[in-house]
Amino acid sequence: MSAARMLTGDRPTGRLHLGHYVGSIANRVKLHQRYESFFIIADLHMLTTRNSREDIEQVSRNAREMVTDILAAGVEPDRATFYLQSAIPEVGDLNTLFQNLVTVPRLERVPSLKEMSRDAGKDEMPYGLLGYPVLQAADILCVKGQVVPVGKDNAAHVEVTREIARRFNHLYGQVFPVPEMIMSETPTLVGTDGAGKMSKSKGNAIALSDDPATVRRKVMGMYTDPNRVRADVPGTVEGNPVFAYHDVFHPDRAKVDELKARYRAGRVGDVEVKEELAGALNRFLDPIRERRARFKGQPGLVDELIFEGTERTRAEVRRTLVEVRRGMGLTSAYTQVRRRAERYRKAVGTPA
């Protein structure tokens, strides 16, 4: 490898939103200029919670929209390799080998898995979901990723990757880097309903691709202080989603501080505070919308990026798998069998 590598990505379940941006995309935009960057379209991970035929039929469209969102956010296409996870079967081979390097109790201690299962409406955790961090380790290590930008939810997953890399290297020799996690400055973003993090499935998200009117409508419907029935009633800023968004997306700190002071004193209404937020969000999203329109105006470009990236990544993964199998001694077992079979065929006159 000529440069250190970064691996990151998302499940193709729909368009990306502001929570994705603060959780990881902002870091990706900065880091992809410094690292050789691989972006996974994690459709096999999607199957752990969404595996109906209808879900699978949407993968191609969702992948296209997701990659467009990432490009629109500021990732340059000539500095990124996008690839479709399910198109690289060798990742599954690596996943199978890694399964033997981690225990069930260790995976059961990953806190986000139960939450993912619950959010997906599962009464019991599927086997694939329990092994989600192992497959994620295969994703990261198959291209020998050295840097992984993560949000709060995925930190525990990547720690499993680090443990698997160390375990493999201890048993079979130095093959994998132990990847470094780079945490986002804003680990999570509360949803517009104030009930937990922003999520596509909960309908409480503002998409990066939402138009100005949609953003304003969603902001005007946001949850605020439930005890504040009039504008002249002092309100609570702490834990108020509207002000949480102001803190992240409004560039004028003096204006935000002024709004907070007036809100606490009962001298500003929710409508004015929300109007100010809608304006700030739309100004933040305008450059993203412009880039998105530019990429959407080149039909087939995103598909070409995914195709080229998948072919390139598969070649990388194949090389990694050869190295892994050689390090484990798996290649020698079959080589011995093949050579003995060849000698036998020669002895009895069987055509090769």
Side-chain angles (χ1 to χ4, degrees):
M1 296 185 296
S2 58
R5 287 180 172 174
M6 176 177 76
L7 187 286
T8 185
D10 303 278
R11 295 182 294 173
T13 56
R15 294 182 175 181
L16 303 182
H17 52 63
L18 292 177
H20 292 118
Y21 184 87
V22 301
S24 62
I25 294 175
N27 260 350
R28 299 175 193 178
V29 172
K30 290 186 293 186
L31 295 171
H32 89 290
Q33 298 289 349
R34 294 167 45 195
Y35 297 97
E36 184 183 3
S37 301
F38 289 78
F39 291 79
I40 181 174
I41 303 165
D43 55 334
L44 295 181
H45 285 294
M46 181 197 76
L47 298 180
T48 61
T49 57
R50 299 175 62 168
N51 52 22
S52 70
R53 182 175 291 274
E54 291 75 17
D55 291 326
I56 297 170
E57 288 173 349
Q58 295 299 314
V59 166
S60 176
R61 180 181 66 83
N62 286 343
R64 192 177 302 111
E65 294 293 343
M66 188 180 83
V67 171
T68 303
D69 280 337
I70 294 171
L71 295 171
V75 168
E76 299 297 338
D78 60 346
R79 299 191 63 87
T81 299
F82 297 95
Y83 70 95
L84 186 64
Q85 184 186 31
S86 63
I88 305 178
E90 291 82 3
V91 173
D93 296 340
L94 196 57
N95 177 54
T96 298
L97 298 176
F98 283 172
Q99 287 173 356
N100 302 301
L101 303 180
V102 64
T103 66
V104 169
R106 173 64 184 94
L107 295 175
E108 289 175 336
R109 293 199 301 272
V110 176
S112 59
L113 295 181
K114 290 181 181 179
E115 180 182 347
M116 292 172 67
S117 182
R118 183 174 61 251
D119 289 347
K122 305 289 185 182
D123 294 328
E124 295 180 318
M125 185 179 297
Y127 170 78
L129 183 55
L130 181 65
Y132 192 113
V134 183
L135 179 55
Q136 196 166 40
D139 298 328
I140 296 167
L141 298 177
C142 73
V143 295
K144 298 190 177 181
Q146 293 151 286
V147 170
V148 185
V150 293
K152 180 180 177 181
D153 292 346
N154 270 331
H157 293 195
V158 180
E159 188 55 45
V160 172
T161 298
R162 289 165 53 82
E163 293 172 12
I164 287 175
R166 286 193 291 262
R167 180 66 174 162
F168 185 96
N169 292 342
H170 173 74
L171 289 173
Y172 308 116
Q174 195 72 28
V175 172
F176 296 114
V178 178
E180 172 190 356
M181 287 186 279
I182 299 182
M183 301 296 295
S184 65
E185 295 179 3
T186 306
T188 57
L189 187 67
V190 67
T192 56
D193 57 0
K197 68 179 181 179
M198 185 173 285
S199 169
K200 289 173 287 190
S201 62
K202 294 179 180 178
N204 63 357
I206 296 175
L208 298 180
S209 55
D210 280 344
D211 60 49
T214 300
V215 170
R216 184 183 182 279
R217 175 178 56 80
K218 290 180 178 180
V219 169
M220 298 310 291
M222 283 181 69
Y223 175 92
T224 55
D225 183 348
N227 298 316
R228 195 168 191 253
V229 294
R230 298 189 316 273
D232 60 352
V233 174
T236 301
V237 168
E238 292 73 22
N240 188 319
V242 175
F243 284 102
Y245 283 43
H246 271 300
D247 286 338
V248 176
F249 296 104
H250 201 305
D252 188 341
R253 304 314 309 156
K255 181 63 176 180
V256 173
D257 290 341
E258 179 221 347
L259 287 173
K260 288 180 177 179
R262 291 170 60 199
Y263 198 83
R264 291 187 177 107
R267 292 189 291 107
V268 65
D270 283 343
V271 171
E272 181 179 342
V273 175
K274 290 179 177 180
E275 289 281 12
E276 183 68 29
L277 176 61
L281 287 177
N282 277 320
R283 287 190 294 274
F284 171 79
L285 289 171
D286 277 342
I288 295 176
R289 294 184 184 117
E290 291 172 8
R291 283 177 59 90
R292 195 174 210 284
R294 189 162 77 246
F295 287 111
K296 294 285 282 187
Q298 302 177 71
L301 171 63
V302 170
D303 297 89
E304 172 68 10
L305 291 173
I306 296 171
F307 174 73
E308 277 191 359
T310 301
E311 292 297 301
R312 184 211 166 184
T313 303
R314 189 173 188 190
E316 293 284 346
V317 176
R318 284 171 168 167
R319 283 192 286 269
T320 298
L321 192 60
V322 167
E323 192 175 351
V324 166
R325 293 175 63 85
R326 184 181 296 121
M328 295 179 69
L330 292 174
T331 55
S332 63
Y334 186 69
T335 297
Q336 291 177 34
V337 169
R338 177 176 56 80
R339 288 174 177 171
R340 291 174 66 87
E342 289 171 350
R343 288 197 295 270
Y344 172 77
R345 289 180 175 185
K346 186 176 181 180
V348 299
T350 303

